[in-house]
Amino acid sequence: MKIRRSWSLYRGWWVVAAGFAALFVSSGATGFGFSVMIKPMEDAFGWNRSTTVGVLSAAGIVSGIMSAPLGLLVDRYGARMLMVVSAFVGGLSLMLLALVSAPWQYYVLMGVGVGAARAGLSGLGPRTAIANWFIRKRARAFAIFACGTATSGLIIVPMLAWIVTNWDWRTAWIIL
C-alpha cells in the first residue's frame, strides 16, 4: 500500500523568502530605487550631486565597519534577532528620511541608519541563516535569495517613479 504524504514546505524556504524580501528592499533603497530619488531631492534642497549621492559611500563604509561586530553576534545568537533589529532600524531610517531638512540629518539616517541595517539585512543575516538551513539545495537557495536585487530593479524603480510623479519623494521614502 502506498502512503500518501501531505505536501509541506520546508521551513528553510521561509528563511530564503525573508532574505529575498530584505535584499529586495535594501537594494531598492540604496541601489536602483535611489536613482529615482536623486533629482527630486536635489531640486527640493538645492544640494549638489555629490552631497546627494555621497551618502551611498557613507552607507557602504558603515555597512563594512558594522559587519565585523555583527558577525560575532550572529555566530553567538543567530541571525533571527539581527534581521529583526536591522529591519526595524532600516525601516525607521527610511521613513524618517521624509523629514530631513539638512545634509547632516540625511547622512545620519541614510548613511548610518540604513548602512548599519544593510549589514544585517542583506549581508550577514540572511546569508548565515540560509547557509545554516540548507546543505543539499544551498546553491538554489542562495540563487533565489540573490534574485532579490534584480527583482528590486524591476519592481521598485517603476513603483517609486510613479509615487514621486503622483505625490513626492518624501512619500516614496515612507512607502519604501
Side-chain angles (χ1 to χ4, degrees):
M1 179 169 187
K2 193 173 190 181
I3 297 174
R4 186 177 182 121
R5 286 186 157 167
S6 64
W7 183 84
S8 65
L9 185 64
Y10 177 59
R11 288 179 54 194
W13 292 113
W14 290 108
V15 173
V16 173
F20 178 95
L23 191 59
F24 177 83
V25 174
S26 179
S27 297
T30 59
F32 298 114
F34 187 78
S35 63
V36 175
M37 311 295 249
I38 293 171
K39 186 71 173 138
M41 288 181 73
E42 285 176 354
D43 293 344
F45 294 120
W47 296 346
N48 60 19
R49 184 65 46 102
S50 62
T51 301
T52 310
V53 179
V55 75
L56 295 178
S57 296
I61 292 168
V62 168
S63 181
I65 291 170
M66 292 297 295
S67 292
L70 290 177
L72 295 173
L73 291 175
V74 168
D75 286 342
R76 178 169 289 175
Y77 301 109
R80 181 182 300 179
M81 188 53 70
L82 173 68
M83 289 185 67
V84 169
V85 171
S86 295
F88 178 77
V89 169
L92 184 64
S93 296
L94 288 175
M95 288 190 285
L96 290 174
L97 280 171
L99 304 175
V100 300
S101 59
W104 72 268
Q105 297 166 338
Y106 177 58
Y107 274 77
V108 166
L109 290 171
M110 186 70 159
V112 177
V114 174
R118 186 170 64 179
L121 277 178
S122 62
L124 297 169
R127 286 175 168 81
T128 303
I130 291 169
N132 289 338
W133 273 90
F134 289 91
I135 294 173
R136 278 192 2 210
K137 296 183 179 180
R138 187 176 288 170
R140 181 179 300 165
F142 273 113
I144 293 169
F145 161 71
C147 287
T149 301
T151 308
S152 174
L154 291 172
I155 296 172
I156 286 187
V157 171
M159 179 189 79
L160 288 179
W162 185 81
I163 293 168
V164 168
T165 301
N166 290 304
W167 289 291
D168 66 343
W169 62 269
R170 294 179 189 276
T171 305
W173 280 124
I174 292 171
I175 291 173
L176 185 61

